[in-house]
């Protein structure tokens, strides 16, 4: 039976409740300005006009980047680079020289690049939204209109859009933008990334939200994905106040992770490099549950030597060396789980990824790269071992995209030979189904729910139209997590979760109820997850797990789990 729902709903990506009037972000340049545009007289003049517009658009991104920080600044700098891109300019020039009108040439060139990005899939496909935003800004500049984007609301409001580009999200002020709701966009879209950073409740993929009239009042639930239109004002205000109280309480959570009745759960951070590790080390975490090493090499054409890799890894390990309790007792020793290169598919690394694969997500990515190039893995393990030796940090090493027990065994042998603790990620359904056999050959498992969801549901994790399938609350995904956790429980070995699922406070309770021993997440999510667990009993977590596994779909699972946890069983 499929549940029938009334009202709007989407995929929740940042928890929290918000109530406010709709403000619609409109992305189009006024039609009248476009039709009144007079083409430059010659191809040279057209290209000069294009260069002016591109420089102005890029400078606008750069100015915003200077006022921003972190991930927001990075995406704005990337957009500025895209606006100045020589390839894009070359495509415009070719079309103008071939007789196209300038606006048609800009549109044609942008579409050509959107097509290329989309065909590459994964993270590159997400850049299509950025490119379309740049095209609209170029056209606005050329026709002398204001660049499109997000209006500045006069009163605190819920911002509704088709999808938001980095430039739209960068200037958002959480004081006036209470929540974000988009019709498109997935859990890894820019909208989601920036909303998470700003702590604004956010729901993506909410079909029909663009049809709401300006001025309707919305109650947005970033925990369940429900978007209520014109709710009862008193009841809605009371729910928002209770939620705000809970969020304030979570801000003061200081670890370590445990349920209210004392079941310990390690709360860990996901990091990408030295700076992100040093910043994560200040959060109330017991270490790093996922160091994505490939992110250190996205701009490298040549593989760094084992020595150079050791320097890079030591920066991360060094941030977690010694006793994190601060009392010198040794009780709070922190550890770092290093993941070997997960190059390929959505994370192409020039020196490792195989070119021209038909279907990179199902191709030679992650550990599979070492099949034809064993020295690549050997050099990385040497670099990790050297960094561990230098820093004295407890270091675990895991492989991504493991599909068979033999792969796990071979990897474990190579890791143990270097005196480190081996584990594998569970991202492929075959690994979850054989978790008990994998645990005979490795010391720990870490479930990558982002890929496990993608491969279980056969749905590209970046496909904005498939957000309802790429949802870790899908019962089939939860079944595989439960099988994996149970395998760990039976032999007393750690089984963690390091995908986005671990950052969802509600789902975290479900995972702990299944027997998951650690949760690793973006540091911004740590306090909300820790605080939720700290107010929940282990029995309630187990009941929540049963309720989620029995539900027919993600929405029903969230509802059932909320009901269990609100009873405080
Ligand atoms: C995952 O797949 O859940 C995971 C943690 O790995 P990544 O997101 O880097 O693919
Ligand atoms: Mg993965």
């Amino acid at each position: 039976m499929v549940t029938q729902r009334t009202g709007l709903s989407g995929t929740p990506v940042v928890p929290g409740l918000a109530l406010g009037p709709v403000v619609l972000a409109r992305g189009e340049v006024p039609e009248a300005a476009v039709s009144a545009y007079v083409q430059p007289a010659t191809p040279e003049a057209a290209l000069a006009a294009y260069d002016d517009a591109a420089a102005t658009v890029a400078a606008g991104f750069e100015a915003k980047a200077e006022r921003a920080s972190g991930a927001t600044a990075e995406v704005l700098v990337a957009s500025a680079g895209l606006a100045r891109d020589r390839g894009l300019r070359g495509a415009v020039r070719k079309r103008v020289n071939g007789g196209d009108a300038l606006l048609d040439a800009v549109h044609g060139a942008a579409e050509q690049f959107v097509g290329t990005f989309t065909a590459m899939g994964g993270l590159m496909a997400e850049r299509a939204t950025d490119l379309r935003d740049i095209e609209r800004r170029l056209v606005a500049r050329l026709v002398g209109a204001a660049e499109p984007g997000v209006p500045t609301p006069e009163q605190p409001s819920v911002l509704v859009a088709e999808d938001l580009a980095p430039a739209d999200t960068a200037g958002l002020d959480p004081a006036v933008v209470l929540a974000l709701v988009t019709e498109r966009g997935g859990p890894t879209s820019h909208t989601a990334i920036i909303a998470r950073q700003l702590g604004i409740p956010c729901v993506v993929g909410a079909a029909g939200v663009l049809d709401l009239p300006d001025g309707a009042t919305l109650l947005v639930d970033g925990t369940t994905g429900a978007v209520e239109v014109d709710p009862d004002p008193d009841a809605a205000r009371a729910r928002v106040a209770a939620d705000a109280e809970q969020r304030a309480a979570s801000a003061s959570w200081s670890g370590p992770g445990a349920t209210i009745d004392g079941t310990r759960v390690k709360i860990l951070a996901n990091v990408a490099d030295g700076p992100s590790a040093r910043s994560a080390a200040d959060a109330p975490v017991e270490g790093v549950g996922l160091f994505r090493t490939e992110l250190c090499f996205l701009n490298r054409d040549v593989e760094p030597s084992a020595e150079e890799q050791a320097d890079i890894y030591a920066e991360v390990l060094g941030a977690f060396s010694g006793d994190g309790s601060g009392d010198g007792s040794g009780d709070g020793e922190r550890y770092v789980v290093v993941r070997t290169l997960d190059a390929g598919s959505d994370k192409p690394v020039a020196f490792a990824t195989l070119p021209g694969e038909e279907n990179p997500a199902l191709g030679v990515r992650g550990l599979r790269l070492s099949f034809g190039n064993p020295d690549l893995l050997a050099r990385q393990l040497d670099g990790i071992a050297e960094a561990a030796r230098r820093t004295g940090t407890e270091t675990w090493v895991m492989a991504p995209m493991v599909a068979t027990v033999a792969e796990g065994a071979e990897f474990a042998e190579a890791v143990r030979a270097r005196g480190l603790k081996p584990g594998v990620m569970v991202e492929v359904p075959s690994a979850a189904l054989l978790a008990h056999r994998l645990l005979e050959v490795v010391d720990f498992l870490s479930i990558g729910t982002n890929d496990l969801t993608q491969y279980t549901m056969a749905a590209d994790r970046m496909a904005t139209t498939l957000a309802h399938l790429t949802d870790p609350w899908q019962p089939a995904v939860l079944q595989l997590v439960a099988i994996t956790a149970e395998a760990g429980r039976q032999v007393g070995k750690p089984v963690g979760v390091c995908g986005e699922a671990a950052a969802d406070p509600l789902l975290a309770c479900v995972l702990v109820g299944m027997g998951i021993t650690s949760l690793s997440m973006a540091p911004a999510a740590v306090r909300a997850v820790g605080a939720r667990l700290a107010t929940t009993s282990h029995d309630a977590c187990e009941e929540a797990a049963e309720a989620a596994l029995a539900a027919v779909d993600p929405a029903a699972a969230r509802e059932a789990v909320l009901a269990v946890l609100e009873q405080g069983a």
Side-chain angles (χ1 to χ4, degrees):
M1 190 194 82
V2 175
T3 38
Q4 291 294 325
R5 279 159 213 292
T6 55
L8 300 177
S9 73
T11 302
V13 287
V14 181
L17 270 181
L19 178 71
V22 168
V23 164
L24 278 174
R26 298 190 194 279
E28 299 311 321
V29 182
E31 198 46 56
V34 175
S35 26
Y37 180 60
V38 181
Q39 292 293 329
T42 62
E44 291 72 30
L47 204 59
Y50 174 83
D51 286 341
D52 273 355
T56 313
V57 169
F61 285 128
E62 281 155 0
K64 280 188 176 173
E66 266 175 35
R67 294 193 296 272
S69 62
T72 309
E74 277 167 31
V75 291
L76 285 166
V77 168
S79 286
L82 208 49
R84 290 190 206 279
D85 188 78
R86 303 299 296 171
L88 186 63
R89 181 185 188 271
V92 171
R93 192 193 56 222
K94 224 185 231 169
R95 285 162 194 270
V96 165
N97 286 340
D100 275 8
L102 179 56
L103 296 189
D104 293 342
V106 170
H107 179 65
E111 280 307 305
Q112 177 187 329
F113 276 68
V114 163
T116 309
F117 286 177
T118 307
M120 287 164 89
L123 282 179
M124 296 310 286
E126 291 249 321
R127 299 292 87 83
T129 302
D130 309 352
L131 199 59
R132 291 213 162 92
D133 174 58
I134 288 167
E135 181 198 339
R136 279 192 294 267
R137 286 170 192 278
L138 287 170
V139 170
R141 288 289 168 188
L142 287 169
V143 303
E147 284 186 31
V150 173
T152 307
E154 282 163 16
Q155 56 175 322
S157 304
V158 174
L159 182 61
V160 169
E162 185 182 5
D163 196 2
L164 292 170
D168 297 327
T169 43
L172 292 185
D173 176 358
V176 283
V177 178
L178 301 172
L180 292 175
V181 183
T182 62
E183 191 165 68
R184 293 166 55 85
T188 49
S189 58
H190 277 129
T191 305
I193 293 168
I194 305 286
R196 215 170 271 131
Q197 186 169 309
L198 294 174
I200 303 175
C202 178
V203 174
V204 298
V209 74
L210 287 177
D211 301 331
L212 293 173
D214 245 333
T217 297
L218 296 188
L219 177 64
V220 181
D221 189 335
T223 303
T224 63
V227 179
E228 278 182 53
V229 185
D230 293 329
D232 172 66
D234 290 341
R237 270 194 291 273
R239 283 183 61 196
V240 171
D243 176 72
E245 217 170 277
Q246 197 183 6
R247 282 204 268 168
S250 74
S252 60
W253 184 79
S254 59
T259 59
I260 194 169
D261 45 356
T263 300
R264 293 277 281 112
V265 181
K266 288 202 186 294
I267 303 289
L268 306 167
N270 291 353
V271 305
D273 52 20
S276 65
R278 285 189 286 278
S279 136
D282 294 333
V285 294
E286 293 183 66
V288 168
L290 172 63
F291 168 21
R292 289 180 162 104
T293 55
E294 66 282 353
L295 299 185
C296 300
F297 307 122
L298 291 180
N299 300 325
R300 298 278 193 133
D301 291 334
V302 178
E303 182 195 340
S305 66
E307 293 72 32
E308 198 185 336
Q309 290 188 52
D311 293 343
I312 294 168
Y313 305 146
E315 271 205 56
V316 170
L317 298 184
F320 287 87
S321 61
D323 180 0
S325 68
D327 60 9
S329 64
D331 296 344
E333 189 170 351
R334 307 207 276 186
Y335 65 104
V336 174
V337 183
V338 183
R339 173 172 78 184
T340 54
L341 273 188
D342 187 23
S345 191
D346 57 331
K347 287 165 288 195
V349 172
F351 63 79
T353 311
L354 301 190
E357 285 189 295
E358 291 254 313
N359 195 347
L362 298 181
V364 184
R365 64 168 287 202
L367 182 68
R368 298 169 183 189
L369 283 163
S370 70
F371 299 167
N373 188 359
D375 290 347
L376 181 71
L377 176 63
R379 283 187 292 270
Q380 181 170 32
L381 292 179
D382 287 343
I384 296 168
E386 167 59 17
R389 192 195 57 72
R390 254 190 243 164
T391 56
T393 302
E394 184 178 340
T395 304
W396 303 10
V397 188
M398 65 183 182
M401 284 296 289
V402 170
T404 72
V405 177
E407 287 169 14
E410 200 179 321
F411 179 78
E413 196 185 321
V415 172
R416 283 201 186 97
R418 290 164 174 88
L420 302 169
K421 181 166 168 157
V424 296
M425 291 190 75
V426 173
E427 300 180 287
V428 182
S430 63
L433 293 168
L434 292 182
H436 60 293
R437 304 257 295 272
L438 276 166
L439 282 169
E440 290 168 6
V441 298
V442 299
D443 294 345
F444 69 96
L445 299 176
S446 181
I447 306 174
T449 45
N450 307 335
D451 277 314
L452 185 61
T453 305
Q454 153 165 274
Y455 296 123
T456 303
M457 304 307 294
D460 183 343
R461 60 193 265 187
M462 297 298 173
T464 56
T465 46
L466 297 178
H468 63 294
L469 292 177
T470 54
D471 185 331
W473 284 84
Q474 281 287 351
V477 179
L478 294 180
Q479 285 288 352
L480 291 174
V481 173
I483 289 170
T484 310
E486 181 53 29
R489 187 143 61 177
Q490 282 184 8
V491 293
K493 289 189 177 180
V495 175
V497 169
C498 63
E500 288 299 305
D504 173 343
L506 218 52
L507 191 45
C509 296
V510 170
L511 299 172
V512 168
M514 290 174 175
I516 291 297
T517 56
S518 69
L519 298 164
S520 191
M521 65 203 78
V526 158
R527 287 188 166 82
V529 169
R532 182 91 211 196
L533 282 174
T535 56
T536 308
S537 70
H538 192 256
D539 279 355
C541 289
E542 286 190 338
E543 261 190 59
E546 273 171 37
L549 287 166
V552 292
D553 62 23
R558 286 185 175 97
E559 230 168 74
V561 167
L562 260 182
V564 167
L565 298 183
E566 270 162 19
Q567 277 167 19

